[in-house]
Amino acid sequence: MHLHGLIFAVTGGGARKDTTIVTPRQTVTVDLEADNPGQWMTHCHNIYHAAAGMMINLAYRT
């Protein structure tokens, strides 16, 4: 999954980044650095997955 406009770290350690692998029927918990308010898209990089609904809008304000 790719998150536009923000960076995160997978909970439990690791580099700060904007993309991580999420395997089928699994979840990933991240620590998000919410320092860029607005509306941001998060989506799967496999276009057929994005077209099937693996795309959301993450929006927040301060």
Side-chain angles (χ1 to χ4, degrees), residues 38-57:
Q39 294 191 39
W40 302 104
M41 179 174 58
T42 184
H43 62 93
C44 181
H45 265 183
N46 293 324
I47 194 65
Y48 55 91
H49 287 164
M54 290 179 71
M55 183 179 306
I56 64 166
N57 182 47

Side-chain angles (χ1 to χ4, degrees), residues 8-17 20 27-32:
F8 59 84
V10 175
T11 302
R16 301 198 69 74
K17 54 190 179 176
T20 193
T27 60
V28 173
T29 303
V30 300
D31 296 318
L32 176 68

Side-chain angles (χ1 to χ4, degrees), residues 5-25:
L6 302 162
I7 58 172
F8 59 84
V10 175
T11 302
R16 301 198 69 74
K17 54 190 179 176
D18 65 1
T19 304
T20 193
I21 294 174
V22 182
T23 56
R25 297 180 190 69

